Amino acid sequence: MVSLGDQSLTVGDGEQQLGQRRIMVIIRAAFLGLGWFFFSALSSIYIKRTINILPAVAKLTLAEFAVGAVMTWLYLLATGREIRINAAIIKSFLPVSVAYALGHVLTNFSFGATSLAFAHTVKALEPFVAVLLQRILGDTAGHSSLMYLSFIPICAGIGLASTGSMKFTWTGFLLAMSSNLCFGARNVLSKKTSTSSGVDVIDCFLILSLLGTLYAIPLWLLSEVLYGGWLRGQAQQMSADTASDFLISALVGVVAHWIYNQASFNFLFLTSPITHSVANAARRLFLIVAALLYFSHSVSGRAGMGVALTLCGITVYSYSVARQRDPRTTLPHTNPRAVQST
């Protein structure tokens, strides 16, 4: 017999309620996962569409950071969560935030320099770069043989995709790889920062968005000095319909960027690192396919095989790394804390 206030539940009733809560959490996680995939694709497509109309990348990146910071702050206030930010925490995040902001800027520039599908395919090499940096720094904890083997199809897939018909450009490739280097450095640095600061993922996103906004302001001012006249000239030549399309595309891309990050963080809370990692690999495939369909890019058999190999490698990598954190061999559907707090 289980007593809850004035109610008395048998053990069977308690198990039934726990099962119902678990089902509700799974449903919530499914909706969050769908939202994560959908808004991630929406953000990438509309950011690319905005850059195609007018390549004001610095201004667009500043808007992404600023909107992310404001919307996350409002989200924390609306949910009644404590905002844990102080000078010491911000100081500890400075190295991570520099790598994060620069990686984000380079990603947006890569979207403008090559096809969106190819940029995302190259971005799939980010785990390889992170592991390489860890090895250079002598940190090989949790590196399994399966993880190293996963890099064979990843690298082979990138090579095939690069030589296929996915609009390969060296500028786009180098920008995407440079962003991988920055995000790899962010992963290495954040491992220590998150442990020492004690903030959760949503607080972390808020801090990175705030600092990213500060970093993006001088970049935007520099771009105004160097290219502001040309960009304004291009903007003045736009028709009213094109200008309206530009503003709507930018707004949709920026807001969708914040929504998909929030969905990702909440999905991680409801599930496990393994589930989140494998879902993230599936998301990369979803982004590539969505970009190919939206922009009507033709893909050769070689490029298609390259994308498939890359995604297979990423899935194996994600699973092998997550298993180091959680040695269970099956994918848990829900986080026990989420079930208890429902």
Side-chain angles (χ1 to χ4, degrees), residues 61 65 92-107 123 126 129 133 175-191 193 208 211-212 215:
T61 304
F65 284 135
S92 68
F93 269 87
L94 288 176
V96 181
S97 63
V98 171
Y100 173 80
L102 186 57
H104 194 65
V105 171
L106 290 169
T107 296
K123 291 286 292 174
E126 181 185 321
V129 176
L133 288 174
L175 285 169
M177 281 299 297
S178 297
S179 73
N180 285 342
L181 183 62
C182 292
F183 284 126
R186 174 207 60 183
N187 293 341
V188 173
L189 293 169
S190 63
K191 184 177 180 181
T193 303
L208 293 177
L211 293 175
Y215 300 148

Side-chain angles (χ1 to χ4, degrees), residues 57-91:
V57 178
K59 187 179 294 185
L60 189 62
T61 304
L62 173 59
E64 284 183 305
F65 284 135
V67 170
V70 172
M71 295 298 289
T72 304
W73 194 292
L74 293 175
Y75 170 80
L76 291 172
L77 291 176
T79 55
R81 296 185 54 175
E82 179 185 0
I83 302 175
R84 292 170 291 182
I85 297 180
N86 55 50
I89 290 177
I90 291 177
K91 183 179 179 180

Side-chain angles (χ1 to χ4, degrees), residues 18-67:
L18 187 62
Q20 292 174 347
R21 290 179 179 179
R22 186 179 179 85
I23 292 173
M24 291 302 299
V25 170
I26 292 173
I27 293 174
R28 286 173 56 194
F31 275 106
L32 283 170
L34 290 173
W36 177 25
F37 279 41
F38 174 77
F39 285 103
S40 181
L42 194 68
S43 173
S44 293
I45 288 171
Y46 273 83
I47 291 297
K48 170 66 173 176
R49 182 174 171 175
T50 303
I51 294 172
N52 285 348
I53 298 173
L54 183 68
V57 178
K59 187 179 294 185
L60 189 62
T61 304
L62 173 59
E64 284 183 305
F65 284 135
V67 170

Side-chain angles (χ1 to χ4, degrees), residues 275-340:
T275 306
H276 188 274
S277 295
V278 174
N280 194 40
R283 181 183 70 94
R284 185 71 67 182
L285 175 61
F286 182 79
L287 291 175
I288 294 171
V289 172
L292 290 172
L293 293 176
Y294 184 86
F295 293 104
S296 301
H297 291 318
S298 61
V299 180
S300 66
R302 180 186 299 177
M305 184 180 297
V307 172
L309 275 174
T310 300
L311 270 297
C312 287
I314 287 296
T315 302
V316 174
Y317 168 84
S318 301
Y319 185 73
S320 65
V321 171
R323 283 193 63 182
Q324 299 300 316
R325 305 171 188 165
D326 187 345
R328 290 172 291 182
T329 57
T330 58
L331 295 181
H333 292 289
T334 57
N335 186 329
R337 292 180 302 151
V339 176
Q340 294 167 1

